[in-house]
Amino acid sequence: MSAPSTWSGPEHRRSVLWVVALAAIAIVFDGYDLVVYGTVLPTLLDDPTQLGHLSAGTAGALGSYALVGVMIGAFIAGTFGDRVGRRRMMLMNIVWFSVGMGATALAHNLLTFGILRFLTGIGIGGLVATAGALIAEFAPSSKRNVYNAIVYSGVPAGGVVAAVLALVISDHVGWRGLFWIGALPLVTLLPLAFVKMPESPQWLVSRGRIDQARAIGARTGIPVHIAPLPDATLATDEPEKVGFAALASRRFAVPTLLLGLMSFAGLLLTYGLNTWLPQIMKSAGFDAKGSLSFLLVLNGGAIVGGLIAARLADRRGPQRIVATSFCLATFALIGLTLGFGLPVLLAAVAVAGVGTIGTQVLIYGYVSNYYPTSARGAGVAWCAGFGRLGGIVGPMIGGLLIGAGISSNTAFYIFAGIALAGAAATLLVPQSAQVTPAPVVAAPSARLATAE
């Protein structure tokens, strides 16, 4: 079963752009959640009347609870997403994380705050795991990596939004107001998604629900392709495996391990640098505002560079571009140790953003297009879930290095080595396991596209 390489008409384009926009806005709140805790942490540390006395160690644990929740949420979405559908998973998780953010704003002690951070993370993990599968099944094949990059660039964009709002309005709304902002999708994004986000026709076809797929195709202009067998490249004498069972099959076991290691490296670098870059640069002699500017440049570089790299991935294939992006991070992080002037340092941080946060954006696109429809949700969930272990380890590594008094140069060398290991894992992913388009037969409807 294959998607068209371009638009079948204006209605198709309009429908897909709605899906991309809604998914991107949802993913913005992953980035928002990542950074908003850091923006309110100084208040919680300095004012015990907010939640109680908060030590540095407890603060670090609270920061990790949401990441553990994200990991669990991703695996839950992978377990059920390939069975219950993309639309249903997106809507449920928008409700879940919105309610969680609002409830967190009402917390009055550390225990409740930590539990709600964990529960909110489950909803965010479900969104991250589902969005990639959604875009892979709606976007034309020539634009999949770009649209995945747009959607997952919501992570650094959400971080920027959280940082800016904290600077501008935190004195007026307090830390609780910043969490209430995280609950706004319940009354803004959810109604739009309910109306404008259809179920994936490709997923419906893979589940044998042909009539429903045709009805959605007729209503939205999205081409519907009917293959003799769902994901015919996997056709065997045995029943087709779905979800995580397919990932564990002989065909996908090794690629799944390597893709998971790629995501582990990407998210370790993303969370490690987002957490500790300001402190590392401060220890290198920059003042507080100057060190914070490096964080904004890191995320800004990830957004711009990630979109450019995704465009190249659509033209030349994602594997080569992801490996190159990891290598760029290696060189940029080493460059930060060479004592260059501020303009060169900022440029190196921007490139490091492309090679770390931007690379993770590319990895989600790579993974979502690597697996067949029957395993796509589980594949992205594995990538997001196992990768979050890297997100948990990254800040821990940074904290251990800073706590041990190790120089900033050594910290950058360690992160550079992790980026190089990510590039090696990328190059080892087997080409032969990638899904190739199967012969398809047009469904008997005037609105259904023929095979290319």
Side-chain angles (χ1 to χ4, degrees):
M1 189 187 315
S2 66
S5 62
T6 187
W7 306 113
S8 64
E11 194 174 4
H12 177 205
R13 184 174 185 272
R14 184 165 52 252
S15 296
V16 171
L17 291 180
W18 265 110
V19 171
V20 171
L22 293 168
I25 294 170
I27 294 298
V28 162
F29 285 89
D30 180 21
Y32 185 88
D33 181 77
L34 164 65
V35 174
V36 74
Y37 175 69
T39 67
V40 306
L41 188 56
T43 299
L44 300 181
L45 285 168
D46 294 341
D47 185 0
T49 65
Q50 298 296 324
L51 294 173
H53 177 70
L54 181 61
S55 66
T58 303
L62 288 175
S64 69
Y65 291 164
L67 298 181
V68 175
V70 170
M71 179 178 65
I72 293 174
F75 285 131
I76 291 173
T79 301
F80 298 104
D82 289 319
R83 300 181 183 276
V84 305
R86 317 305 184 202
R87 169 184 157 87
R88 189 177 299 175
M89 289 302 298
M90 288 293 290
L91 295 178
M92 286 192 302
N93 283 295
I94 289 171
V95 173
W96 188 290
F97 86 75
S98 299
V99 172
M101 292 289 278
T104 304
L106 299 174
H108 287 283
N109 58 67
L110 292 174
L111 177 62
T112 304
F113 184 85
I115 292 172
L116 290 170
R117 288 283 294 159
F118 166 77
L119 293 174
T120 303
I122 292 176
I124 293 173
L127 283 176
V128 172
T130 306
L134 191 77
I135 299 305
E137 291 171 8
F138 276 96
S141 58
S142 63
K143 299 179 183 296
R144 284 177 181 168
N145 285 289
V146 166
Y147 284 154
N148 264 290
I150 291 172
V151 168
Y152 285 110
S153 288
V155 176
V160 171
V161 169
V164 170
L165 288 178
L167 288 171
V168 174
I169 67 171
S170 61
D171 290 340
H172 305 288
V173 302
W175 72 267
R176 296 183 188 277
L178 292 175
F179 276 92
W180 275 119
I181 290 172
L184 288 177
L186 187 65
V187 295
T188 55
L189 180 62
L190 180 65
L192 274 176
F194 189 83
V195 174
K196 293 292 188 179
M197 182 178 288
E199 182 55 87
S200 161
Q202 190 170 328
W203 177 81
L204 289 169
V205 170
S206 75
R207 304 300 292 173
R209 294 158 64 176
I210 308 301
D211 289 342
Q212 292 179 46
R214 289 174 175 169
I216 289 174
R219 187 176 74 249
T220 63
I222 298 170
V224 180
H225 296 269
I226 313 299
L229 285 171
D231 299 307
T233 51
L234 293 182
T236 66
D237 293 333
E238 300 178 357
E240 181 188 14
K241 295 181 178 179
V242 176
F244 285 116
L247 303 192
S249 67
R250 182 182 303 176
R251 177 182 176 84
F252 288 116
V254 172
T256 294
L257 174 62
L258 291 169
L259 292 166
L261 291 173
M262 289 163 54
S263 185
F264 181 92
L267 283 169
L268 186 155
L269 294 168
T270 295
Y271 281 81
L273 289 174
N274 266 302
T275 302
W276 292 109
L277 182 62
Q279 183 63 35
I280 292 173
M281 300 313 293
K282 186 176 180 181
S283 68
F286 293 91
D287 61 25
K289 289 186 177 180
S291 61
L292 182 60
S293 69
F294 284 100
L295 192 60
L296 294 176
V297 170
L298 182 80
N299 284 276
I303 295 171
V304 176
L307 292 173
I308 294 172
R311 186 69 175 172
L312 293 173
D314 275 327
R315 294 177 178 176
R316 302 181 182 180
Q319 185 175 33
R320 186 186 310 173
I321 303 302
V322 170
T324 301
S325 187
F326 266 129
C327 289
L328 283 176
T330 301
F331 296 134
L333 291 166
I334 292 174
L336 292 174
T337 70
L338 301 180
F340 293 120
L342 182 60
V344 177
L345 281 179
L346 289 173
V349 169
V351 174
V354 178
T356 55
I357 306 170
T359 297
Q360 185 60 31
V361 168
L362 294 176
I363 289 171
Y364 283 129
Y366 184 22
V367 171
S368 64
N369 290 297
Y370 194 92
Y371 293 101
T373 304
S374 58
R376 184 171 287 122
V380 180
W382 163 255
C383 174
F386 183 77
R388 291 291 160 161
L389 292 175
I392 296 169
V393 170
M396 293 174 57
I397 289 177
L400 290 173
L401 295 176
I402 298 298
I406 293 175
S407 69
S408 58
N409 284 359
T410 302
F412 285 131
Y413 286 139
I414 291 173
F415 283 129
I418 292 168
L420 190 61
T426 304
L427 293 174
L428 290 174
V429 176
Q431 290 279 352
S432 60
Q434 293 189 36
V435 178
T436 55
V440 295
V441 202
S445 170
R447 299 298 298 269
L448 302 182
T450 57
E452 295 182 79

